[in-house]
Amino acid sequence: MLKDIKSLYLSELEKLLADEGYPKFRAGQVSLWLKKGVTSFDEMGNIPKDLRGYLKRSCYISVANIEKKLISMYDGTVKYLFRLSDGECVESVVMKYIHGYSICVSTQAGCKMGCSFCATGRGGFARNLTPSEILSQIETAQKDLNIRISNVVLMGMGEPLDNFDNVVRFLKIVSSEESLNIGLRHITLSTCGIVPKIYELADLKMPVTLSVSLHAPDNETRSKTMPINRKYPVEQLIKACIYYFNTTKRRVSFEYAMIEDVNDSAENAKALANLLSVMPCHVNLIPVNSVKGTLYRKSSVKRQKAFVEILEKRGITATVRRTLGSDINASCGQLRGKHKEEGGK
């Protein structure tokens, strides 16, 4: 089995080379080439030929190749469909803000969670992504656009906490000086609510922002749209979020898809305010995306504003997410789904 070299910590790479008799500084040189985004060991100009030969025999460099690329004519948002080494495809989205560039990356090819309003889950689950495959999405986008990405959101295809070990390793690698050196405070991890893993993540005391896909203030409504709620109901989820805040001192964000006549009433807003009044938090209201195969429609602007007003009167900070890339279906899952319909993997 070839080793996934970009998924190794520097200390692990040092040991790998030391076991073959190479000095410690060689690992640093190899790591620097990987940081530059090389896709072949032959590109590592200052690495001895014999070491390059060993690396080619024992390791591989994970890459994310651009299968499709869409650019919004409205705001410049870029959506990628990346093809991985085994042919699986995943999506990423690059967005430009005043503070710099953010990327939304995938952590799985597909998703098991089955949320009814999500395009990714409708396409089925294939596999978890490796740390290097998550990292490669950022590297390829940076190289293609000739930019420096400063913020990462794990909110693309898949449930990050369902791929816990690989995601934690990715977080440690991407934030290291040997890699992209993106601070953990500039990384947001989104989850539909796998409660035990929220506790486990909190105990690691990594200062990432936790973003919870809530989408309903009560178990009956939430269970209809999010099957995970039947296993980990709202009360358990909020208790885990309180633990996360108390342990990491990081304010939790809650994602709330505004679906007309499903979860957008004044009563829903009041119930949500009651639910979240126990902790400092922020609510990000998201007009639901139109997804093929569902009848969901986004809430009217009037209802969105009324919802925000009710929350803010109760002391809950809330904003309506600005829609980016609307002309390219920038929400994840739709491009991959269309690609599969056309005969792709």
Side-chain angles (χ1 to χ4, degrees), residues 4-276:
D4 179 4
I5 194 168
K6 277 171 39 179
S7 288
L8 298 178
Y9 299 131
L10 179 60
S11 59
E12 294 172 330
L13 180 57
E14 289 172 345
K15 183 179 186 308
L16 179 70
L17 300 190
D19 289 346
E20 297 297 319
Y22 294 102
K24 185 177 181 179
F25 77 89
R26 291 298 185 194
Q29 290 179 319
V30 172
S31 181
L32 184 59
W33 281 110
L34 294 174
K35 184 177 182 178
K36 291 179 179 179
V38 299
T39 58
S40 166
F41 294 113
D42 289 327
E43 297 178 60
M44 299 180 175
N46 62 346
I47 302 301
K49 186 176 180 180
D50 63 320
L51 176 51
R52 278 183 277 141
Y54 165 71
L55 291 172
K56 284 190 282 187
R57 292 191 304 272
S58 60
C59 303
Y60 71 92
I61 301 175
S62 178
V63 295
N65 294 309
I66 300 173
E67 181 74 11
K68 290 185 179 181
K69 175 183 175 182
L70 302 176
I71 304 175
S72 172
M73 63 183 292
Y74 300 136
D75 51 49
T77 295
V78 182
K79 183 170 186 176
Y80 290 102
L81 182 69
F82 289 124
R83 179 174 290 276
L84 306 177
S85 58
D86 64 349
E88 283 294 341
C89 289
V90 297
E91 297 178 33
S92 297
V93 179
V94 176
M95 299 151 286
K96 185 177 181 179
Y97 294 97
I98 295 175
H99 56 73
Y101 289 93
S102 294
I103 187 169
C104 179
V105 297
S106 297
T107 55
Q108 295 178 314
C111 186
K112 305 173 189 174
M113 299 299 112
C115 300
S116 61
F117 48 80
C118 177
T120 298
R122 300 179 76 84
F125 174 78
R127 65 173 176 84
N128 289 327
L129 300 192
T130 63
S132 65
E133 288 173 329
I134 305 171
L135 183 69
S136 293
Q137 296 170 60
I138 306 172
E139 292 174 335
T140 300
Q142 285 193 145
K143 188 174 182 179
D144 178 60
L145 299 173
N146 192 29
I147 60 172
R148 155 82 173 157
I149 289 172
S150 56
N151 292 271
V152 179
V153 183
L154 280 70
M155 200 182 288
M157 294 169 53
E159 163 56 56
L161 296 187
D162 189 44
N163 187 18
F164 188 85
D165 292 342
N166 284 337
V167 164
V168 168
R169 179 172 279 261
F170 158 76
L171 291 172
K172 292 179 178 179
I173 291 173
V174 76
S175 60
S176 68
E177 292 184 3
E178 297 79 32
S179 184
L180 299 185
N181 198 23
I182 298 175
L184 290 173
R185 292 181 180 274
H186 295 276
I187 299 177
T188 298
L189 185 152
S190 175
T191 178
C192 67
I194 302 179
V195 167
K197 293 301 181 181
I198 293 176
Y199 284 104
E200 196 170 338
L201 182 66
D203 288 338
L204 292 175
K205 296 184 179 179
M206 303 173 74
V208 300
T209 298
L210 182 68
S211 179
V212 176
S213 296
L214 188 58
H215 307 312
D218 62 276
N219 287 317
E220 181 180 1
T221 306
R222 193 168 191 264
S223 293
K224 289 178 180 177
T225 55
M226 303 183 71
I228 191 70
N229 195 73
R230 298 166 197 157
K231 187 170 185 179
Y232 305 115
V234 169
E235 297 80 11
Q236 292 184 24
L237 177 57
I238 297 302
K239 186 177 179 181
C241 291
I242 293 171
Y243 182 84
Y244 189 89
F245 169 75
N246 288 335
T247 304
T248 66
K249 308 307 178 187
R250 299 286 287 170
R251 185 180 69 167
V252 177
S253 292
F254 291 94
E255 306 289 321
Y256 195 98
M258 295 288 287
I259 309 173
E260 185 178 73
D261 296 329
V262 174
N263 65 353
D264 64 345
S265 68
E267 290 72 24
N268 292 141
K270 293 172 184 176
L272 182 63
N274 289 335
L275 181 69
L276 300 183

